Every structure is written in structure tokens, then in C-alpha cells.
């Protein structure tokens, strides 16, 4: 079977995007006590947009006519996904928030499926995510508002995948992300200022916000756009299912959160689904 450099570059881009996003999420939670999740989202997206515009200079490749529609919806989905997710993890644990948010990519994977084996990988992913969730009937049941916010973030994530592919076909990946980030910043920055006020511009906050912007938005979304242009929506979505597992492992490594046997099994199921989808897609492309 011939080596497909483009295919493996796309997979590597997805994995690196997930690693940087998890690092950025850990840093972002340190800002919540200072400016809240809405203020954190506004600064993160604002600085990300600035970084991307300086690097990719998208004003030289602006869409024309109806092409703006896909870019605008992509930007709205991007911004909504970030805002709802940060609001969710202010109420529920990070790993659980990521797992619930995955209802969006899973829906894309399910409805994009064309082979029976693809449904198997989706089923394994669902099983893994269900095992990662706590018992909702226990005394430690999740905050229902946090759950709803995480599911809303998942819906926005599905739109981000679908409209990201359409917008990405109009220009280079970096240009598309820069334009989408500017759309998101146009409504998130005012919300952040309204929520946090002058605290948003504190010198105690700005350095952390720049780090969050680079790790959580500018770098990973550029990498994801590279992947979206080279991978089918279904493959991208199931590959991204590694993210709850990465979040759980990060909690163990950096926060000393012990994992139960059931949670380790969940991680194994998610990784198996991701690898199975990847190999299945590669075999189909090579045949």
C-alpha cells in the first residue's frame, strides 16, 4: 500500500490541534475567576483574530458575493462553540464537557456514514463517551444548565465542521480561519466587555489571554482547517473523538485525577474507533 503523505499530514494536524486546545483550556480556566467565561472567550477570540490577520493577511483574498454566507455562518458557529463550551465547563468538569460536546461531531459522523464499518466506529465512540459520563441519578449529578450548554456547543461544532469545509474551499485554510475568527470576534468582544468591564484590559489578564488565544484558537483552528480540506467530514469527526480521551489523560497527568477501570475502557473504545475510522478511510482512498 503506497504511503500517502497528504493523508498522514492531515491526521497529524488533527492530533496537534487537540493537544494545543487541551493546553489552552487548562490555561483558560485560570482566567475564569478574574473575568468569567464570557470575558475569557471574548479575549481569546479577539487576540486569535488579530494574530491570524497579521499572519495570513486575509484582506488580499476576501470572498465575493454569496461566498460570504459560508464564511459568516462558519464564524458564527466557531464563536458560539467557544462561548457555550466555556460557559459549560464553568458548571461541569472539563472532561465531561468535552464528552457532551461530542454529540455534534458524532452526528456529522453518523449522517455522513456510507459503509457499515463506519457505523461500527461511530458506535464504539458513543459507547466510550457514555462510559466517561457519570451516573446522572446519583447525588453528584451534573448541572443541567451546564449539560445543555455543552450540548449547544456540540451543535455549533457540527456547523463548524460542515461550513468550515465549504468556507475552506473558497480560500486557503489560514485565510478562512482568519475571516471566521473576525466574524466571531465581532460579537464576542462586545459580550466580553459587557460581562467583565475594565477587568478585561487588566495587565494581569492580557498575557494569559494571549497564551490562551495562541493555544486554543490560532494554532489549532489553522491546523484543523488544513485537515478539513484533506479529510472527509466523517473521518475528521471520528478522529476528533480522541479529544475526550486526551482531556481525561491530561487530568490524570497534570491534575492527579485517578481514572477508574471503566474510564480506561472508555478511552480504549474511543481510540479504537478513531484508529478504525482512519484505517478504513485510508483503505478506501487507496483502492
Amino acid at each position: 500500500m503506497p504511503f500517502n503523505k497528504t493523508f498522514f499530514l492531515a491526521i497529524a494536524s488533527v492530533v496537534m490541534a487537540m493537544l494545543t486546545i487541551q493546553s489552552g483550556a487548562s490555561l483558560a480556566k485560570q482566567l475564569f475567576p478574574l473575568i468569567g467565561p464570557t470575558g475569557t472567550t471574548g479575549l481569546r477570540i479577539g487576540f486569535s483574530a488579530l494574530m491570524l490577520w497579521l499572519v495570513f493577511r486575509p484582506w488580499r483574498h476576501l470572498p465575493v458575493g454569496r461566498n460570504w454566507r459560508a464564511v459568516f455562518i462558519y464564524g458564527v458557529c466557531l464563536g458560539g462553540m467557544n462561548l457555550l463550551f466555556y460557559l459549560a465547563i464553568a458548571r461541569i468538569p472539563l472532561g465531561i464537557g468535552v464528552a457532551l460536546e461530542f454529540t455534534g461531531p458524532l452526528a456529522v459522523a453518523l449522517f455522513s456514514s456510507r459503509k457499515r464499518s463506519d457505523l461500527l466506529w461511530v458506535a464504539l465512540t458513543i459507547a466510550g463517551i457514555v462510559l466517561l459520563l457519570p451516573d446522572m441519578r446519583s447525588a453528584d449529578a451534573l448541572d443541567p444548565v451546564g449539560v445543555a450548554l455543552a450540548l449547544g456547543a456540540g451543535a455549533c461544532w457540527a456547523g463548524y465542521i460542515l461550513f468550515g469545509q465549504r468556507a475552506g474551499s473558497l480560500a486557503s485554510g489560514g485565510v478562512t480561519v482568519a475571516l471566521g475568527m473576525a466574524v466571531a470576534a465581532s460579537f464576542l468582544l462586545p459580550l466580553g466587555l459587557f460581562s467583565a468591564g475594565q477587568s478585561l484590559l487588566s495587565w494581569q489578564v492580557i498575557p494569559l489571554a494571549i497564551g490562551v488565544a495562541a493555544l486554543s484558537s490560532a494554532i489549532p483552528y489553522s491546523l484543523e482547517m488544513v485537515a478539513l480540506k484533506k479529510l472527509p467530514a466523517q473521518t475528521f469527526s471520528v478522529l476528533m473523538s480522541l479529544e475526550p480521551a486526551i482531556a481525561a489523560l491530561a487530568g490524570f497527568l497534570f491534575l492527579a485525577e485517578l481514572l477508574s477501570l471503566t474510564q480506561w475502557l472508555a478511552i480504549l473504545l474511543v481510540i479504537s474507533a478513531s484508529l478504525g475510522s482512519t484505517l478504513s478511510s485510508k483503505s478506501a482512498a487507496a483502492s
Side-chain angles (χ1 to χ4, degrees):
M1 185 179 295
F3 176 77
N4 190 326
K5 182 178 180 180
T6 300
F7 180 82
F8 283 101
L9 175 62
I11 294 175
S13 297
V14 175
V15 173
M16 286 301 300
M18 290 185 288
L19 291 173
T20 55
I21 283 176
Q22 289 305 318
S23 300
S26 300
L27 189 60
K29 293 203 76 170
Q30 299 179 36
L31 286 173
F32 285 7
L34 301 175
I35 56 175
T38 304
T40 302
T41 308
L43 274 187
R44 166 185 166 178
I45 297 299
F47 278 120
S48 297
L50 179 61
M51 292 175 188
L52 291 169
W53 275 65
L54 290 175
V55 172
F56 293 105
R57 293 177 283 183
W59 58 84
R60 301 182 303 174
H61 308 282
L62 294 176
V64 295
R66 294 185 178 180
N67 292 339
W68 271 108
R69 180 175 178 271
V71 173
F72 178 78
I73 298 177
Y74 165 70
V76 170
C77 290
L78 189 157
M81 174 178 67
N82 282 277
L83 177 60
L84 293 174
F85 179 68
Y86 274 11
L87 289 171
I89 63 173
R91 294 173 172 268
I92 60 178
L94 174 62
I96 303 303
V98 172
L100 290 171
E101 190 185 23
F102 260 83
T103 53
L106 280 171
V108 174
L110 181 60
F111 290 112
S112 300
S113 161
R114 293 292 180 270
K115 299 189 304 180
R116 290 183 179 180
S117 61
D118 291 336
L119 294 178
L120 171 62
W121 311 134
V122 173
L124 283 176
T125 305
I126 293 173
I129 290 175
V130 168
L131 288 175
L132 283 172
L133 296 176
D135 184 357
M136 294 293 291
R137 298 167 296 177
S138 70
D140 298 325
L142 298 177
D143 183 316
V145 175
V147 171
L149 289 167
L151 292 173
C156 289
W157 195 350
Y160 165 82
I161 293 171
L162 298 174
F163 286 96
Q165 285 192 313
R166 298 180 190 179
S169 66
L170 306 175
S172 70
V175 169
T176 302
V177 177
L179 292 172
M181 202 69 71
V183 171
S186 69
F187 67 89
L188 287 177
L189 269 177
L191 283 176
L193 284 169
F194 178 78
S195 172
Q198 294 183 349
S199 300
L200 210 66
L201 304 178
S202 166
W203 287 108
Q204 182 184 6
V205 166
I206 296 298
L208 284 174
I210 292 174
V212 171
L215 291 172
S216 296
S217 294
I219 295 174
Y221 290 143
S222 297
L223 291 170
E224 286 180 6
M225 186 55 64
V226 170
L228 281 168
K229 295 182 70 174
K230 301 179 185 300
L231 292 174
Q234 187 270 342
T235 303
F236 178 85
S237 298
V238 180
L239 270 174
M240 290 296 291
S241 64
L242 276 169
E243 197 151 11
I246 291 175
L249 288 172
F252 171 71
L253 293 174
F254 302 114
L255 303 175
E257 296 177 348
L258 298 178
L259 300 176
S260 67
L261 181 61
T262 300
Q263 289 171 320
W264 281 114
L265 175 60
I267 291 172
L268 179 61
L269 288 173
V270 171
I271 292 175
S272 298
S274 297
L275 291 175
S277 174
T278 301
L279 295 173
S280 176
S281 176
K282 185 174 183 292
S283 298
S287 60

